[in-house]
Amino acid sequence: MSGPVPPAGRPGDTPAAADPTVPDGPRHAHPTGPVSAPPPPPAAAAPAEAPVAPGPPSAPGPPPAPPAAPTAAEETAPERITIRTRGGAGPDPDATTEVTPGTPAAGSDTAVLPTPSADTPDIPAADTVPTAPADSPATDSPATDSPAMSADAGTAEPLAPEQPLRARDPLLVHLIWEGLLLVVLIGLVVAGLVLFPEFRTATAARRLLGFAVVLGIPAMAFSLSLRGAVPNIAVVPLAALGGSVFGATVADQGIAAGLVQALALTGIVGLVMAALVVGLRVPAWSAGVAAGLLASGLSLAIAVGPVDGVPDVPAFLTSALPQFLVFAVLSIGTGLLCVIPGVRRTLGAYREDVEWGNRGLLAGFVALAVLVLSSAVAGIGGVLAVLQTQVAGTAGGLGDLLFPLAAVLLGGASMYGRRVGIAGTVLGVLVLVTVRELWLLSGLGSGYAGYGGAMALAGIAAIVGLLATPLVEWAGRRAEARVTT
């Protein structure tokens, strides 16, 4: 509605001022301010007079009367606006009705927007705002996906965007666990030095470190696969395969050619396993069973037994102490590298994709690389075992498979993957080989009885190590909860 029209008059008449309370334009469903009652209609214009002869101009007429002031009842009465109900039930689905803003319309589950105040920002025009029925939960209301609306002033508050969950892997629980392992290892060494004089000899030390290398390299490969959340339980058969290939080729083709062929064949088996895990999305442990059987069969078919004609090699390649130092540096160095959050999350990205049901390209590529690399590392362990013992294909039995897995579990690694400590694998290996050495020195069993007792002790160590998995996972969930709250 336009403002009041001034009455027509003669030249010189002063037009009446427009009412500032009336908007200059069509009225909307959501007025921008209070609107008073419309003024009374202006007086009708005087009829035009018959033309007369020109003469002196007449005096100007009286000014028009100002608009009547609204009464008290009109000022306090709430404004009523007209709304349209679309798609309703009944004979007239597009009926119109008049309601007071802020109150529900009769027979409707919708409420009209409250009248905005002068400080309220503009709200897009709409007929109604849907409200959830009384028996419907608040989460089912469409308003949960829209900006929050204040009930008293109609202000719009944007909802905070949902933050993505970031993986949190606290290291304190690993450090505490590894500290306890160090205390246990020191206690075992002291007990061996006090109880068994043979334990103090250089021969016992070389035997202990040599077995630590044979056990430690496959354990390091298994630990690496756990960091990538794709446990490679075929590491021991793969070590036997690498040793067999190296033993069958080293005499004729040399150390370098034998090492390359061992790494190539073990890497191919790892690639087959990765294709099953990443391509067909089968669990990693099931693919490890298949790959372990394949590697064991190939190892037995290629070479088993003493290796003749091994060329002279540098002493550090056959000595137990340098080999153990290389194993310890590589294992602890990998743990320190994975302390970096970005490295740890990238290497263990496959775990998050499995939990959230979405395997991305990066996670699949990392899982493939981890499986191939861990298989090749296990093959290197077999090569070092051949250089140290001059025997190929001696690994791959149930007991040999149990020792590396038990050492990693005892080191505090989570069987769910990604959450692995720093020096836990090295400490777990040292604890197991020390227990085995003390068991053999005690004379409690010889031959198969002694070997069986060592296997039983390794199984007990694995059970103890499994206690670390719920502890590590509990600490990780607590850290994630603190981030999201």
Side-chain angles (χ1 to χ4, degrees):
M1 176 185 297
S2 303
V5 180
R10 287 177 297 275
D13 287 354
T14 302
D19 188 353
T21 62
V22 180
D24 189 12
R27 298 183 64 189
H28 300 275
H30 300 281
T32 58
V35 179
S36 59
E49 298 180 357
V52 295
S58 58
T71 63
E74 292 174 341
E75 289 181 349
T76 58
E79 180 190 6
R80 299 178 65 82
I81 61 175
T82 301
I83 63 171
R84 297 186 301 275
T85 304
R86 300 189 182 98
D92 189 3
D94 297 331
T96 61
T97 183
E98 291 187 357
V99 296
T100 301
T103 59
S108 174
D109 290 334
T110 59
V112 183
L113 287 174
T115 304
S117 62
D119 298 332
T120 303
D122 292 339
I123 301 175
D127 289 335
T128 59
V129 174
T131 58
D135 56 350
S136 175
T139 55
D140 295 336
S141 174
T144 56
D145 297 331
S146 304
M149 184 67 67
S150 174
D152 53 350
T155 57
E157 299 177 358
L159 295 176
E162 183 180 358
Q163 298 295 330
L165 180 63
R166 300 294 298 273
R168 303 286 295 183
D169 301 318
L171 291 176
L172 180 60
V173 62
H174 291 288
L175 296 178
I176 294 175
W177 185 271
E178 292 169 6
L180 294 176
L181 281 181
L182 182 59
V183 172
V184 171
L185 177 61
I186 294 175
L188 290 173
V189 172
V190 172
L193 293 175
V194 172
L195 298 176
F196 305 106
E198 298 88 348
F199 192 78
R200 309 168 196 166
T201 63
T203 302
R206 284 194 298 268
R207 184 170 59 246
L208 188 147
L209 291 178
F211 186 68
V213 172
V214 175
L215 169 64
I217 300 298
M220 182 175 64
F222 181 63
S223 174
L224 176 63
S225 67
L226 278 181
R227 294 184 189 276
V230 280
N232 183 0
I233 65 173
V235 288
V236 171
L238 286 168
L241 176 60
S244 297
V245 174
F246 182 78
T249 58
V250 65
D252 299 330
Q253 304 179 24
I255 294 179
L259 178 61
V260 170
Q261 293 181 49
L263 293 179
L265 190 54
T266 53
I268 289 174
V269 175
L271 186 62
V272 172
M273 182 166 41
L276 294 174
V277 174
V278 178
L280 300 182
R281 300 185 178 182
V282 301
W285 66 266
S286 60
V289 171
L293 292 174
L294 175 61
S296 297
L298 292 176
S299 174
L300 294 174
I302 293 174
V304 176
V307 177
D308 298 327
V310 177
D312 294 335
V313 295
F316 71 90
L317 290 179
T318 59
S319 177
L321 181 58
Q323 290 182 358
F324 176 77
L325 292 178
V326 171
F327 150 67
V329 169
L330 290 178
S331 181
I332 296 176
T334 303
L336 291 174
L337 182 64
C338 290
V339 170
I340 304 174
V343 176
R344 177 183 290 258
R345 282 194 295 266
T346 302
L347 191 60
Y350 199 78
R351 166 175 173 160
E352 298 177 6
D353 286 1
V354 169
E355 291 178 349
W356 298 343
N358 178 25
R359 296 175 173 87
L361 180 62
L362 176 61
F365 176 79
V366 172
L368 185 147
V370 166
L371 285 172
V372 174
L373 182 59
S374 62
S375 301
V377 170
I380 294 176
V383 171
L384 293 178
V386 171
L387 290 175
Q388 184 182 142
T389 63
Q390 305 292 307
V391 178
T394 57
L398 177 61
D400 296 322
L401 176 63
L402 177 63
F403 278 105
L405 303 187
V408 175
L409 292 177
L410 187 61
S414 171
M415 287 303 293
Y416 293 102
R418 196 186 67 222
R419 289 171 174 151
V420 184
I422 299 175
T425 300
V426 176
L427 291 173
V429 167
L430 289 176
V431 168
L432 277 185
V433 298
T434 305
V435 170
R436 176 181 177 272
E437 185 68 19
L438 295 178
W439 176 264
L440 295 177
L441 291 176
S442 66
L444 296 176
S446 60
Y448 286 107
Y451 185 69
M455 284 180 57
L457 292 175
I460 294 174
I463 294 174
V464 174
L466 283 174
L467 300 178
T469 293
L471 181 63
V472 169
E473 293 297 322
W474 170 79
R477 286 192 297 268
R478 283 199 61 186
E480 291 173 350
R482 287 196 299 268
V483 172
T484 55
T485 55

